[in-house]
Amino acid sequence: MAQGTLYIVSAPSGAGKSSLIQALLKTQPLYDTQVSISHTTRAVRPGEKHGEHYFFVSEAEFCDMIEKDDFLEHAQVFGNYYGTSRAAIEQVLKTGVDVFLDIDWQGAKQIREKMSDARSIFILPPSKEELGRRLRGRNQDSEEVIAKRMAQAVAEMTHFAEYDYLIVNDDFDLALLDLKTIIRAERLRLGRQKLKYDGLITKLLAD
Amino acid sequence: MAQGTLYIVSAPSGAGKSSLIQALLKTQPLYDTQVSISHTTRAVRPGEKHGEHYFFVSEAEFCDMIEKDDFLEHAQVFGNYYGTSRAAIEQVLKTGVDVFLDIDWQGAKQIREKMSDARSIFILPPSKEELGRRLRGRNQDSEEVIAKRMAQAVAEMTHFAEYDYLIVNDDFDLALLDLKTIIRAERLRLGRQKLKYDGLITKLLAD
């Protein structure tokens, strides 16, 4: 059984990361590409499903998983825990499915250390002006809030060089094609192909 | 200026390597992808042009280049010398053009040692039967000659695991797409993109 690839995707907000990943998953079948599902201790919101949006667990269960070192990374945000379970991801990878993980540079760093086979992709906006427009949104926020968002975006972008691939999201369709191109090329690597064509290779090399 | 990538392509005869590389070059502009041109001491044949099909040099010139360690690899075939000049390839790579080098596993091994940034691709036929049909050609050769060709093909194929990428040439158009996918994905790698988007990155990270 071929082993899937874990993709870590990071970007400043305003680069279009979430839209790109959503568009990617829409065009790829579930048996082919999936997004990683996090564990969280926060309350279920209306419409959310366990195992689809999050794995909802109690604080005791979450702490138990931390102790068992089951998390590739975890963090506390506004009093709630969020984490990426190694077991949950490895179970999907084992079936040959590629898994996408939408995470910031700090989470990416932790995961890279624990999953050395993971590939990482950083997405950049096409210009500072366009980034400003996207962060400004519907013009409902104060200049102070927008300046803070921009500072956060720049801080995230200073880590672009820690990633394997770099995509500039100028034209959305081209950026989506870039993402697909990376996935397809990674599937042509020796390790994946050797497993996929195991039978053929044995026959070709037989006397 | 972006630096091009050197691609080493190997395959047993009958896998369709030359046709794939030719088709690739037809669809990619010259400023984008080129094939490596070898140096040789053999006589010019009608229609051949210096600097297009080969760099034709005298034996003295060739030996001088060997002594200066200018060859990434070289070999003697039927009394003539053939070699791949490092200077010739680096001159093209420097302009941002990707260079394809059609070579056997032994040449590939030598080049990998000297150019660690090179990417290597191995092409396999879709089945032993199809390989046999392709090696049989126009049925003009004796069974002995065909058996010898098959043995050579198998010997070449035993080295597939030394390559970065593996393409199975079952459907020609799909195999060509695989080749293009690899080139495009390699161009999305951090090193290439960092050079290409140097100006953008500087602006994005400025205060």
Side-chain angles (χ1 to χ4, degrees):
Chain A
M1 176 63 76
Q3 171 84 14
T5 300
L6 176 62
Y7 289 97
I8 305 165
V9 188
S10 303
S13 41
K17 174 179 61 166
S18 305
S19 312
L20 278 170
I21 295 179
Q22 272 174 30
L24 174 76
L25 293 177
K26 259 190 204 159
T27 57
Q28 310 268 114
L30 258 185
Y31 59 79
D32 185 296
T33 315
Q34 291 177 28
V35 73
S36 162
I37 299 162
S38 300
H39 281 63
T40 185
T41 59
R42 83 149 164 73
V44 187
R45 289 179 192 155
E48 285 185 338
K49 280 184 188 158
H50 180 79
E52 189 179 323
H53 300 89
Y54 283 99
F55 293 111
F56 295 98
V57 293
S58 69
E59 230 169 89
E61 287 173 293
F62 201 98
C63 291
D64 194 44
M65 288 177 75
I66 294 178
E67 269 184 28
K68 284 181 182 151
D69 197 30
D70 188 32
F71 289 116
L72 290 175
E73 60 78 38
H74 67 278
Q76 205 182 350
V77 184
F78 300 127
N80 294 309
Y81 286 103
Y82 295 84
T84 304
S85 151
R86 179 200 289 268
I89 284 185
E90 285 188 342
Q91 203 183 324
V92 181
L93 290 177
K94 226 186 273 174
T95 64
V97 171
D98 287 337
V99 177
F100 272 76
L101 188 52
D102 177 339
I103 203 160
D104 70 357
W105 74 270
Q106 278 159 312
K109 191 166 174 268
Q110 289 180 56
I111 289 171
R112 226 178 262 122
E113 281 161 11
K114 292 187 179 173
M115 303 273 281
S116 58
D117 285 348
R119 302 289 168 186
S120 57
I121 303 170
F122 200 90
I123 299 166
L124 286 177
S127 70
K128 192 101 172 202
E129 295 68 35
E130 178 59 22
L131 180 64
R133 267 192 293 276
R134 293 181 192 171
L135 291 178
R136 202 166 290 273
R138 284 161 297 178
N139 267 319
Q140 294 175 326
D141 303 301
S142 68
E143 282 305 312
E144 198 188 341
V145 167
I146 291 161
K148 203 177 154 191
R149 275 190 207 143
M150 181 58 94
Q152 277 174 343
V154 171
E156 181 74 22
M157 287 191 291
T158 58
H159 295 276
F160 80 94
E162 296 159 22
Y163 291 71
D164 297 317
Y165 294 99
L166 191 62
I167 292 177
V168 175
N169 183 11
D170 187 359
D171 178 293
F172 185 85
D173 291 333
L174 273 184
L176 181 59
L177 185 63
D178 285 347
L179 210 48
K180 289 182 184 175
T181 299
I182 291 168
I183 299 172
R184 286 181 192 154
E186 287 288 343
R187 288 179 185 163
L188 293 169
R189 283 187 170 270
L190 182 75
R192 291 280 287 260
Q193 291 284 73
K194 211 167 139 180
L195 287 169
K196 183 175 173 187
Y197 289 107
D198 183 40
L200 169 65
I201 291 166
T202 306
K203 277 182 201 152
L204 285 173
L205 297 184
D207 287 324
Chain B
M1 176 63 78
Q3 170 85 14
T5 301
L6 176 63
Y7 289 97
I8 306 166
V9 188
S10 303
S13 41
K17 175 179 59 167
S18 306
S19 312
L20 278 171
I21 294 178
Q22 272 173 31
L24 174 75
L25 294 177
K26 258 188 205 162
T27 58
Q28 310 270 112
L30 258 186
Y31 59 78
D32 185 297
T33 315
Q34 290 178 28
V35 74
S36 161
I37 299 161
S38 301
H39 281 66
T40 185
T41 60
R42 82 151 165 71
V44 187
R45 290 179 191 154
E48 286 184 338
K49 279 184 192 159
H50 180 80
E52 189 178 324
H53 300 89
Y54 284 97
F55 293 110
F56 295 99
V57 292
S58 69
E59 229 169 271
E61 287 172 294
F62 200 99
C63 291
D64 194 44
M65 288 177 75
I66 294 177
E67 268 184 29
K68 285 182 183 150
D69 197 28
D70 187 33
F71 289 116
L72 290 175
E73 60 79 39
H74 67 276
Q76 204 180 353
V77 184
F78 299 126
N80 295 308
Y81 285 103
Y82 296 84
T84 304
S85 152
R86 178 200 289 267
I89 283 186
E90 285 187 342
Q91 202 184 324
V92 182
L93 290 177
K94 227 184 274 174
T95 64
V97 170
D98 287 336
V99 177
F100 272 76
L101 188 53
D102 177 340
I103 203 160
D104 71 356
W105 75 270
Q106 279 160 310
K109 189 164 175 271
Q110 289 179 56
I111 287 170
R112 226 178 263 119
E113 282 160 11
K114 292 187 179 174
M115 302 273 281
S116 57
D117 285 347
R119 303 286 168 186
S120 56
I121 302 170
F122 200 89
I123 299 166
L124 286 177
S127 70
K128 192 101 173 200
E129 295 68 35
E130 179 60 23
L131 180 64
R133 265 192 294 276
R134 293 181 191 172
L135 291 178
R136 202 166 291 272
R138 284 162 295 179
N139 268 319
Q140 292 175 329
D141 303 299
S142 69
E143 282 305 312
E144 198 187 341
V145 168
I146 292 161
K148 202 176 155 191
R149 276 189 206 145
M150 181 58 94
Q152 276 174 342
V154 172
E156 182 74 21
M157 288 191 290
T158 58
H159 294 276
F160 79 94
E162 295 159 21
Y163 291 70
D164 298 316
Y165 294 98
L166 191 62
I167 293 177
V168 175
N169 184 11
D170 187 359
D171 178 293
F172 186 85
D173 290 333
L174 274 183
L176 181 58
L177 184 62
D178 285 348
L179 210 49
K180 288 182 184 177
T181 298
I182 292 168
I183 299 172
R184 286 180 192 157
E186 288 287 344
R187 288 178 185 166
L188 293 168
R189 284 187 170 270
L190 182 75
R192 292 281 288 260
Q193 291 284 74
K194 211 166 138 182
L195 288 169
K196 183 175 173 186
Y197 290 107
D198 183 39
L200 169 66
I201 291 166
T202 305
K203 278 182 202 154
L204 285 174
L205 297 184
D207 287 325

